[in-house]
C-alpha cells in the first residue's frame, strides 16, 4: 500500500497498486513546483487512488511537450499531491515529496535532462531522455 499526504496533513491518500515507473523530471515546471532541482513522479494506475482525508483542489497547466496536465494540491498548504493527464489516460503520477515512504530512486528514469541544472549529477547507467519519452 502506498500512502501519502500534504505537508499540513489536511489531505491524505492511498493507492493499492505498485508503481510502473519512477521519473525524475528536470523541466522548469517541475523545478518550480518542487522549489528544487527536479521533481519526482511515481507513476501508478489512476484507478487505485483513494483520497482518505480532506479534498484536494485542482488546476490545469500546459506542459513543455504540448499536453495538458491536471494537478492536485492541498487547498490549505499548497502541497502538490499528484498529476494526471487531461487526456483521460489510465495512469497518474504521485508526487514524490507527498509520499509517506520515500521512493527508491536507484532505477528512476531521468527526463527533460536538456533542462537539468548545472551541477546535478545523473547516476551512471540511469535511463535518461533529453525531453519527454514518447
Amino acid at each position: 500500500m502506498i500512502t501519502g499526504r500534504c505537508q499540513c496533513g489536511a489531505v491524505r491518500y492511498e493507492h493499492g497498486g505498485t508503481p510502473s515507473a519512477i521519473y525524475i523530471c528536470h523541466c522548469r515546471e517541475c523545478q518550480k513546483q518542487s522549489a528544487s532541482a527536479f521533481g519526482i513522479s511515481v507513476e501508478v494506475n489512476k484507478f487505485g487512488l483513494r483520497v482518505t482525508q480532506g479534498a484536494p483542489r485542482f488546476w490545469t497547466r500546459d506542459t513543455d511537450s504540448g499536453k495538458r496536465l491536471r494537478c492536485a494540491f492541498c487547498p490549505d498548504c499548497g502541497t502538490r499531491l499528484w498529476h494526471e493527464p487531461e487526456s483521460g489516460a489510465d495512469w497518474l503520477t504521485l508526487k514524490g515529496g507527498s509520499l509517506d515512504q520515500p521512493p527508491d530512486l536507484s532505477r528512476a528514469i531521468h527526463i527533460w535532462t536538456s533542462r537539468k541544472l548545472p551541477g546535478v549529477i545523473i547516476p551512471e547507467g540511469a535511463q535518461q531522455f533529453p525531453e519527454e519519452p514518447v
Side-chain angles (χ1 to χ4, degrees), residues 10 14 19 24 28 39 46-47 49 57 88 90 111-112 127:
E14 64 182 24
I24 294 179
R28 284 293 297 143
K46 78 174 182 181
F47 301 108
L49 181 69
R57 291 196 56 202
D90 62 355
I111 60 175
W112 286 100
Q127 190 175 9

Side-chain angles (χ1 to χ4, degrees), residues 3-126:
T3 60
R5 66 178 185 86
C6 64
Q7 193 170 6
C8 74
V11 180
R12 295 177 184 272
Y13 65 84
E14 64 182 24
H15 192 283
T18 56
S20 55
I22 297 176
Y23 295 99
I24 294 179
C25 183
H26 299 271
C27 80
R28 284 293 297 143
E29 288 299 319
C30 282
Q31 291 168 2
K32 290 176 185 177
Q33 175 263 307
S34 66
S36 187
F38 50 80
I40 299 171
S41 297
V42 178
E43 187 176 272
V44 294
N45 184 301
K46 78 174 182 181
F47 301 108
L49 181 69
R50 186 169 79 90
V51 175
T52 59
Q53 180 176 309
R57 291 196 56 202
F58 294 88
W59 73 284
T60 302
R61 68 170 180 85
D62 295 327
T63 67
D64 287 341
S65 61
K67 299 174 187 168
R68 305 242 330 133
L69 194 63
R70 192 167 176 242
C71 307
F73 64 95
C74 173
D76 294 334
C77 68
T79 301
R80 196 71 63 86
L81 300 166
W82 68 82
H83 291 166
E84 52 192 60
E86 192 177 65
S87 65
D90 62 355
W91 58 268
L92 57 80
T93 56
L94 304 172
K95 299 312 295 173
S98 74
L99 299 172
D100 291 333
Q101 186 68 28
D104 177 358
L105 300 180
S106 60
R107 292 190 175 166
I109 301 164
H110 291 255
I111 60 175
W112 286 100
T113 57
S114 62
R115 301 200 178 150
K116 175 179 73 71
L117 294 182
V120 171
I121 299 170
I122 296 175
E124 187 176 326

